[in-house]
Amino acid sequence: MRILEVSRLLRRNGLAVFTSRELSLLLPREDRRVSALQLHQWNRKGWVVRLRRGVYELAFPEPGIVPDLHLANRLYEPSYVSLETALSRYQIIPETAAQVTSVTPMPTRRFLTPRGLFTYMTIRPGAFAGYRLDTEQGVPVRIAEPEKAVVDRLYAGMRRGEPLRPLEDRWDRGKLRRLDRRKLAAYARLFGAGAPRLMGRLNALV
């Protein structure tokens, strides 16, 4: 494999972040062991960046061109950006850039990568909803709707046993009051047995 040819092939298929399996599907004639060795060598040269086992970011000919939110979607699937990252994006809480936060029906995970820290909170499969597909720098990004990001964050705090602290957490009460109350209630109900406590927190917050 030649890096220039592989780079063009990946970009044509919208795979600036790719898995070793996706590369094998694009190059079915290549021996997987040879491909793994080639990826290792390209990583050492800085042409690809190993984000975690089996997941890479293409860095040839330019490094770091993939938006963090798209990278978060691809790093651990299925997932969508939510919690503090989404709330900050909607200016419901002040800007925070320490990490990119997402939710997933998969086990909770935390990945420290060359691009920064990415964390994923587990939610029940039935609550894996309320996100939309946005575009950032020409690539798709799955991100929670504002109402779902609020509910996800309240659920996370409830699960960790944190008290509700609107002032300390600097929620923008004006923006919260402009959210769709029916959506907030509908998304809270997705959490099953936890829904009544979530609704209590929502009513206290909004």
Side-chain angles (χ1 to χ4, degrees):
M1 299 188 295
R2 295 182 179 180
I3 184 61
L4 181 59
E5 296 169 355
V6 171
S7 174
R8 287 172 176 169
L9 180 62
L10 289 168
R11 292 189 193 283
R12 277 202 307 270
N13 285 274
L15 294 173
V17 178
F18 64 96
T19 66
S20 51
R21 182 176 181 276
E22 287 168 338
L23 185 61
S24 296
L25 291 173
L26 289 174
L27 300 168
R29 295 182 181 179
E30 293 287 340
D31 185 282
R32 290 193 177 188
R33 290 169 296 182
V34 175
S35 296
L37 178 60
Q38 190 74 80
L39 284 171
H40 176 71
Q41 292 173 345
W42 289 348
N43 182 55
R44 291 183 62 183
K45 292 180 178 180
W47 293 346
V48 301
V49 178
R50 183 182 183 274
L51 300 171
R52 73 178 186 90
R53 184 177 179 180
V55 183
Y56 299 86
E57 180 185 3
L58 186 61
F60 181 92
E62 298 177 59
I65 64 171
V66 179
D68 285 346
L69 302 193
H70 176 74
L71 194 153
N73 291 169
R74 295 302 327 272
L75 189 61
Y76 195 48
E77 297 182 292
S79 66
Y80 62 84
V81 174
S82 187
L83 306 167
E84 291 82 2
T85 300
L87 291 171
S88 174
R89 187 180 177 91
Y90 297 128
Q91 299 180 335
I92 295 173
I93 63 171
E95 184 175 354
T96 174
Q99 59 184 312
V100 179
T101 53
S102 302
V103 298
T104 177
M106 304 288 284
T108 293
R109 287 290 184 270
R110 181 176 184 271
F111 300 107
L112 183 59
T113 78
R115 290 283 298 275
L117 180 62
F118 296 81
T119 62
Y120 300 81
M121 182 190 76
T122 298
I123 59 174
R124 57 182 298 186
F128 190 75
Y131 59 91
R132 61 193 183 198
L133 198 63
D134 280 354
T135 301
E136 186 168 323
Q137 297 179 33
V139 295
V141 170
R142 292 187 302 276
I143 186 168
E145 294 182 346
E147 292 83 1
K148 188 54 161 53
V150 169
V151 173
D152 285 344
R153 177 61 184 86
L154 292 178
Y155 172 75
M158 190 175 73
R159 197 170 76 170
R160 292 194 291 257
E162 298 173 354
L164 187 63
R165 302 173 301 184
L167 294 178
E168 291 88 340
D169 293 335
R170 300 168 68 191
W171 294 84
D172 187 320
R173 305 298 285 273
K175 285 189 170 63
L176 286 170
R177 293 189 184 100
R178 289 193 289 272
L179 296 179
D180 188 323
R181 294 297 295 267
R182 288 175 297 180
K183 276 190 176 183
L184 287 166
Y187 290 145
R189 287 194 294 270
L190 297 179
F191 286 87
R197 290 179 62 200
L198 266 178
M199 285 303 302
R201 289 196 165 210
L202 274 171
N203 291 333
L205 183 64
V206 182

